[in-house]
Amino acid sequence: MSTTDLLAISPTAFVAWLKEQGIRRFHLVLDPASGRVNASHEQLQPLADFINADTRDFMGHEGLFFQVAAEHDTLQGAFVHRTCRGQAAGGVRYWSYETMADYLRDGMRLAKGMTRKNALAGLWWGGGKGVMAHNPTQDKTDPTLRQDIYRDYGHLLSDLRGCYVTAEDVGTHVVDMANVFATTRFTTCIPAELGGSGNPSAPTARGVVSGMEAALEFANLGTLAGKTIAVQGMGNVGAPLIGFLFERGVARVIAADINAGLAERLRADLAGRLQPDQELETRVVTVDNHDILAEECDIVAPCATGATLNPRTIPGLKARIVCGAANNQLEDATRDDEALFQAGIIYVPDFLTNRMGIVNCANEAYGYVNNDEFIERHLERDWEHSVYQTALRVLNASRSSGRPPARTAMDLADELSLQPHPVFGHRGVRIIESLVADRWFDQN
Ligand code: NAD
């Protein structure tokens, strides 16, 4: 097959082609000397060439590793971006892709994003991402299928010797993580009963509060007390966020969700906790309704889905500050970052404020203490890598350079991501060299 053919076919058709070739596992690994990606198998070099030519999502990724699940025709990948600060860490996504080009690009984009999130959080982790392509001929709700493919994914990680450590992500649930954990030690975010850290949503909400406080400080707008905040989404993060905001003395919260039951549950949770001068207004909306973002308020907090900040919503924003938990709030990371900046709206980048999901599970292997300083310091004012300090540093640097904040945060993250781990140096790249030398893909 030619390059274009291999990249244009679906991951499921690609799996069929791999099987015809007698290939179950392969890799695309960066040669540091030439700066080029090479494929483990000659017939897969077109994929490496595609990556070498890509200027959007490829950014010197150290190694991409793939397998077909043992009993089910599911393509599974581990995308290692950069391992200077430690093993590549990031969750495993289970998602549908139309073409191999989409699949490879998404994996590289997400892995690069994790390098930035981890580095900006001051974690001693590199960045990576797992991506499993849903095979449309399979019922992804089938528990047997899920058990098999997540256990196979764990086998893949064991054979990759720890250059990538996985976690939960979109399409993957805590029960799936138990299956990954059954076959590898290279995972975090396992169920609490197996030694995991549990639901990270409340710490994530606290991270968003810190981001809001930094933005208010930056804009000389005082504290949260007396402010009006609009929150999109009353789910796992939105609901505790609203509680924390009222605890900080916020006067009014306007919140929207597509699920009517969540507003009722939140009202019940907050019963007796609001002061007489505090008000909660809730709205039930349809999924394509983003009017909440255009509310008259001080801060708007997107805590629902991604891509809600775009040319259709940004012109209507009335808040001075946007700070929320949702991943990938900017529909186009460059265009919409610039549009918010030009409009004089302070945007606190999502990958900076919503870090507590990964922070919460990052150090699971080191055990648990009450008021863990390795978690709490992210939410305090003075630690140099805290959400508050990092947000202030990014916003100040953005103002003095005239570059929008998400771009500024990425530049800072890229610089931090090159620092070697204080104990293990750039060991991940040596693991990858060892895998290549030992032809890991021959192990089945
Ligand atoms: P969730 O699914 O519990 O909550 C999202 C809520 O948004 C749901 O209640 C949903 O009904 C609602 N929603 C969807 N479309 C909407 C719309 N148009 N208007 C209003 N509400 C709408 O998810 P979550 O765990 O609360 O996460 C929220 C966001 O934060 C997601 O983007 C997630 O990826 C991100 N995030 C979460 C964590 C975490 O710790 N949970 C960590 C990092 C990032």
Side-chain angles (χ1 to χ4, degrees), residues 72-315:
H72 306 279
D73 290 347
T74 300
L75 182 65
Q76 305 183 311
F79 293 72
V80 174
H81 174 233
R82 188 172 284 170
T83 57
C84 303
R85 291 183 74 92
Q87 294 155 287
V92 54
R93 183 163 294 202
Y94 186 22
W95 199 244
S96 299
Y97 295 93
E98 281 191 14
T99 67
M100 277 304 291
D102 293 344
Y103 172 78
L104 291 171
R105 278 227 166 105
D106 207 34
M108 290 192 291
R109 177 182 69 84
L110 293 165
K112 186 167 73 174
M114 285 313 301
T115 297
R116 289 175 169 148
K117 185 181 282 196
N118 293 340
L120 211 54
L123 294 173
W124 288 113
W125 287 103
K129 201 82 181 181
V131 188
M132 299 206 297
H134 172 234
N135 177 336
T137 65
Q138 295 166 354
D139 172 9
K140 68 176 171 187
T141 63
D142 174 4
T144 310
L145 171 96
R146 293 188 81 97
Q147 171 169 310
D148 291 348
I149 61 176
Y150 280 98
R151 287 187 177 207
D152 281 344
Y153 196 69
H155 284 301
L156 170 65
L157 301 196
S158 293
D159 288 342
L160 293 179
R161 303 188 197 173
C163 64
Y164 167 60
V165 177
T166 199
E168 205 173 327
D169 193 61
V170 178
T172 299
H173 313 298
V174 75
V175 58
D176 303 319
M177 297 314 297
N179 284 314
V180 174
F181 184 57
T183 52
T184 191
R185 68 184 305 154
F186 299 120
T187 184
T188 60
C189 293
I190 58 175
E193 58 274 23
L194 298 177
S197 50
N199 188 340
S201 303
T204 300
R206 290 176 64 203
V208 174
V209 172
S210 286
M212 290 178 176
E213 289 177 332
L216 288 169
E217 167 72 24
F218 169 76
N220 247 325
L221 289 171
T223 67
L224 280 165
K227 299 288 189 293
T228 296
I229 321 279
V231 181
Q232 185 179 40
M234 285 177 263
N236 290 319
V237 179
L241 171 67
I242 293 167
F244 294 138
L245 291 174
F246 281 127
E247 281 171 18
R248 292 280 207 277
V250 158
R252 182 162 182 252
V253 172
I254 313 148
D257 204 293
I258 57 175
N259 181 341
L262 291 179
E264 281 163 35
R265 197 166 74 190
L266 178 63
R267 284 189 180 284
D269 282 354
L270 291 173
R273 288 168 55 197
L274 300 195
Q275 301 302 317
D277 55 351
Q278 291 183 311
E279 186 195 348
L280 170 67
E281 182 185 332
T282 56
R283 295 183 192 157
V284 181
V285 296
T286 53
V287 72
D288 52 357
N289 183 321
H290 299 288
D291 291 353
I292 186 78
L293 302 176
E295 273 305 321
E296 203 68 67
C297 61
D298 298 290
I299 304 177
V300 65
C303 296
T305 52
T308 52
L309 300 172
N310 55 50
R312 299 172 301 289
T313 56
I314 293 171

Side-chain angles (χ1 to χ4, degrees), residues 333-347:
T334 306
R335 178 197 66 199
D336 301 325
D337 192 23
E338 186 66 40
L340 287 165
F341 192 56
Q342 292 305 332
I345 296 167
I346 298 163
Y347 170 62

